[in-house]
Amino acid sequence: MQMVMAIIKPFKLDEVRDALTAIGIEGLTVSEVKGYGRQKGQSEIYRGAEYAVNYVPKVKLEVVLPDEQVEHALEAIGRAAHTGRIGDGKIFVLDVARAVRIRTAETDIEAL
């Protein structure tokens, strides 16, 4: 099992969710996060005054998958989240040692 974690632009969330649903991925966790990468934040104008925004709003998706679904998920997320502009985001893949469904005590793949 592996966890796929993607940090994407907020307006791409529905497209990414639809792409994952289309390949049979039924559940995911979504968090609103802030951060910065190469763009180092941005400048905004509010009531005529310019000020720096050090952290850019993003959305973080997390989904734990069987190993055989990971590549399909990476392709789907990458395709759906792509705009071609700086700040499109990142995808990380982490190993997951155990999973337990609390309600039924099912473990690992059965818990997903």
Side-chain angles (χ1 to χ4, degrees):
M1 292 179 304
Q2 297 187 23
M3 176 185 286
V4 175
M5 180 189 316
I7 314 274
I8 63 170
K9 292 182 176 185
F11 67 88
K12 287 296 204 170
L13 176 59
D14 288 335
E15 289 178 53
V16 171
R17 185 190 52 141
D18 291 343
L20 291 172
T21 301
I23 63 168
I25 295 172
E26 297 176 350
L28 69 148
T29 301
V30 177
S31 305
E32 293 180 5
V33 296
K34 293 180 182 181
Y36 69 91
R38 291 183 180 164
Q39 75 262 38
K40 306 284 191 268
Q42 59 192 13
S43 294
E44 300 216 355
I45 297 176
Y46 179 72
R47 295 189 178 188
E50 185 174 338
Y51 64 97
V53 176
N54 294 323
Y55 300 101
V56 179
K58 299 284 184 177
V59 173
K60 179 169 75 169
L61 309 172
E62 296 171 302
V63 60
V64 178
L65 302 169
D67 294 338
E68 58 272 8
Q69 281 190 309
V70 171
E71 286 304 317
H72 298 295
L74 293 176
E75 291 169 12
I77 294 168
R79 193 172 44 252
H82 181 264
T83 68
R85 293 209 201 103
I86 193 166
D88 271 355
K90 298 266 190 314
I91 304 172
F92 303 100
V93 179
L94 307 132
D95 288 327
V96 175
R98 286 288 309 263
V100 178
R101 179 173 292 160
I102 295 171
R103 180 177 54 87
T104 62
E106 292 171 298
T107 60
D108 301 327
I109 298 298
E110 292 79 28
L112 302 180

